[in-house]
Amino acid sequence: MATDVLMPQMGESIAEGTIVRWIKKPGDAVDRDEPLFEISTDKVDAEIPSPAAGVLLEIKVKEGETVPVNSVVALIGEAGERTGTEGTEGSTGSTGSEGSTGSVPQVQGSQVPQVQAETAAATTPAAPAEATVEDLRRTKSSPVVRKIAAEHGVDISQLQGSGISGRVTKKDILAYVESGASKQAGPASPSAAGASAAPAGRPDVTALAAAYPAVRQGENVRVEKMSVMRKKIAEHMVYSMATSPHVYSVYEVDFHRISKLRDKLKGEYEAAGARLTFTSFIAAATVDAIRRFPFVNASIDGENIIYKQDINLGIAVALDNGLLVPVIRNADERNLLGLSRSIADLAARARSKKLNPEEVQGGTFTITNPGIFGALYGLPVINQPQVAILGVGSIDKRPVVIEDAIAIHPVCHLTLGYDHRLIDGAEAGKFLAYLKERLENFEV
């Protein structure tokens, strides 16, 4: 009897997942708990283990396809076992798919109009360009919900969902349809949709997109589909920029004392199984500064300010194909050694795709480090629904003035990006000034 392989529920708020890569192919032997395929959700990428030992009989969901959780994506059984769908149309016999980015077409200039048409037909935006923050939250629904809404001509963005962040659930859409409200409202007409797309005083985004196309006639281009992670990052960044008025303050910090402490303690920490990095010191000092200035550890909900009582510190980790922000929960309960261990552990598991969904959720403040790539400083985008983010620049030796004398010290530029709806420049300055003092006079 064949065993169904299901799309797993990778977190309470996750309704679907995308098959990024099949690690095994039909006919391959597989052990129980051996990595079988790789998925990407709007929270995390992960390798999914096989639920049983046997042979991979059939792949039902191709690479690049997105399906709801608990959908059957493959069958595992004994060698030679028939699945009952062999030879039928739609049966998948290989891991290749149109959604895979393994091969990328070379597009000549004469093909540009056709590429534009195919791209426009295949791409459905997550929400209208002029959507409000609430609209963006609500339209992040499951495929089942979107299907029911389409069948009944319901605009999901007009519903108030009961799910996380206002998400419209299956229960919400069914209740709305059964109430008869969808028939009264009727489907939105194209003319009405066009009229609402560009409110008075705002540019018509659709018209601008047509006036400034990404590809023009005669251009020699290469077209590649975004990965799931890249699309999610893009959506989240657009959402953040539409939500928070970003302001930045940059402070220069002398890392001379921390550099000496790191050299002194590095061997001791390695013996204890932890790698002592400059990020460890920055995280410890940041936690201390957050305690002192809790307004950076907050969120905005309408006209309410939500002050978070826990300090859940996100540490951005650069991957080959994107970025993840694993979270150190209750970071204020850990000392320098504990933070060092947590940072190293989360970074390693992020790069090996071993993180659990809950480990990239619930952050209240984020640290990102563009300086590891040589940037003097960065202007990072706030990780919603947070209100501030700390960018760490490169740590380089520079001449500094110490009591009217010039010395060569390691120096770093720290950038605080903050939501001007809640945090003003004076408050940001107080936070950074305290963080600077804490780092330059660090005590273990």
Side-chain angles (χ1 to χ4, degrees):
M1 182 79 178
T3 299
D4 290 341
V5 180
L6 305 179
M7 174 63 71
Q9 175 86 44
M10 297 294 287
E12 182 182 354
S13 64
I14 296 175
E16 61 190 17
T18 300
I19 303 286
V20 176
R21 177 173 66 100
W22 280 99
I23 299 171
K24 297 288 186 177
K25 63 181 184 293
D28 284 353
V30 59
D31 292 330
R32 181 182 176 86
D33 295 329
E34 183 180 5
L36 184 61
F37 60 99
E38 183 182 323
I39 70 168
S40 183
T41 72
D42 60 356
K43 299 296 182 186
V44 69
D45 284 5
E47 291 181 351
I48 305 303
S50 173
V55 172
L56 180 58
L57 300 176
E58 180 184 358
I59 290 175
K60 290 181 171 289
V61 178
K62 298 177 181 179
E63 292 179 351
E65 290 186 0
T66 301
V67 295
V69 298
N70 296 323
S71 298
V72 178
V73 299
L75 295 175
I76 290 178
E78 297 179 2
E81 184 177 349
R82 296 181 66 84
T83 64
T85 60
E86 293 176 5
T88 62
E89 187 177 352
S91 174
T92 306
S94 71
T95 61
S97 81
E98 295 173 4
S100 173
T101 58
S103 83
V104 180
Q106 188 73 26
V107 183
Q108 302 302 322
S110 60
Q111 296 175 288
V112 166
Q114 181 182 354
V115 171
Q116 288 177 314
E118 290 175 351
T119 302
T123 306
T124 302
E130 296 294 336
T132 65
V133 173
E134 289 73 20
D135 292 337
L136 290 170
R137 287 174 179 164
R138 284 194 287 273
T139 52
K140 282 194 172 182
S141 53
S142 70
V144 174
V145 171
R146 293 197 290 271
K147 182 179 179 182
I148 295 172
E151 289 173 351
H152 295 273
V154 177
D155 182 357
I156 296 176
S157 68
Q158 301 305 310
L159 303 186
Q160 180 58 53
S162 61
I164 295 174
S165 295
R167 189 187 186 106
V168 178
T169 66
K170 184 179 179 182
K171 181 179 178 181
D172 295 330
I173 189 68
L174 288 176
Y176 183 79
V177 170
E178 290 169 4
S179 71
S182 62
K183 294 180 180 179
Q184 297 171 14
S189 67
S191 59
S196 62
R202 289 181 135 183
D204 185 334
V205 176
T206 304
L208 287 174
Y212 301 99
V215 182
R216 292 188 177 276
Q217 178 69 33
E219 283 187 301
N220 221 1
V221 301
R222 182 171 66 91
V223 178
E224 180 177 332
K225 290 185 72 66
M226 280 188 175
S227 67
V228 175
M229 178 178 287
R230 192 75 262 159
K231 286 190 289 186
K232 296 302 180 183
I233 291 173
E235 290 172 5
H236 194 59
M237 294 300 97
V238 170
Y239 171 53
S240 183
M241 294 302 291
T243 301
S244 300
H246 284 60
V247 183
Y248 297 93
S249 296
V250 183
Y251 273 48
E252 185 177 86
V253 180
D254 189 333
F255 269 63
H256 178 70
R257 177 171 175 77
I258 284 180
S259 182
K260 296 293 185 184
L261 281 172
R262 181 171 176 264
D263 290 341
K264 178 182 176 182
L265 299 172
K266 190 162 49 175
E268 177 185 331
Y269 275 55
E270 286 178 357
R275 184 166 173 259
L276 185 59
T277 65
F278 287 115
T279 303
S280 304
F281 289 96
I282 294 169
T286 298
V287 166
D288 194 23
I290 291 172
R291 284 199 200 100
R292 185 75 173 267
F293 302 100
F295 54 77
V296 300
N297 200 56
S299 293
I300 295 176
D301 184 19
E303 297 181 355
N304 297 319
I305 302 171
I306 312 298
Y307 291 98
K308 306 298 178 72
Q309 301 303 300
D310 297 325
I311 299 177
N312 297 332
L313 198 62
I315 305 292
V317 178
L319 307 177
D320 290 339
N321 60 341
L323 185 77
L324 281 179
V325 186
V327 175
I328 303 172
R329 296 191 177 278
N330 302 115
D332 52 326
E333 297 177 2
R334 303 169 192 262
N335 58 15
L336 185 61
L337 177 60
L339 287 171
S340 298
R341 283 175 171 159
S342 295
I343 291 168
D345 170 62
L346 290 172
R349 289 193 291 117
R351 295 187 177 103
S352 61
K353 300 180 181 178
K354 303 297 183 185
L355 287 176
N356 298 318
E358 59 270 17
E359 291 178 307
V360 292
Q361 300 180 49
T364 59
F365 186 93
T366 297
I367 297 174
T368 184
N369 188 0
I372 61 174
F373 304 108
L376 183 64
Y377 61 86
L379 301 175
V381 178
I382 296 167
N383 190 11
Q384 297 294 328
Q386 299 166 28
V387 295
I389 183 170
L390 185 71
V392 181
S394 60
I395 301 174
D396 302 313
K397 289 184 177 181
R398 299 190 185 96
V400 296
V401 177
I402 307 294
E403 296 180 354
D404 295 331
I406 295 177
I408 304 298
H409 284 185
V411 171
C412 175
H413 290 87
L414 298 182
T415 302
L416 185 70
Y418 48 98
D419 189 330
H420 209 349
R421 293 177 300 167
L422 176 60
I423 304 171
D424 297 324
E427 283 71 33
K430 291 175 184 176
F431 175 86
L432 283 171
Y434 181 85
L435 181 59
K436 172 183 170 74
E437 192 278 333
R438 178 78 174 87
L439 287 167
E440 292 183 344
N441 300 282
F442 198 95
E443 296 290 344
V444 179

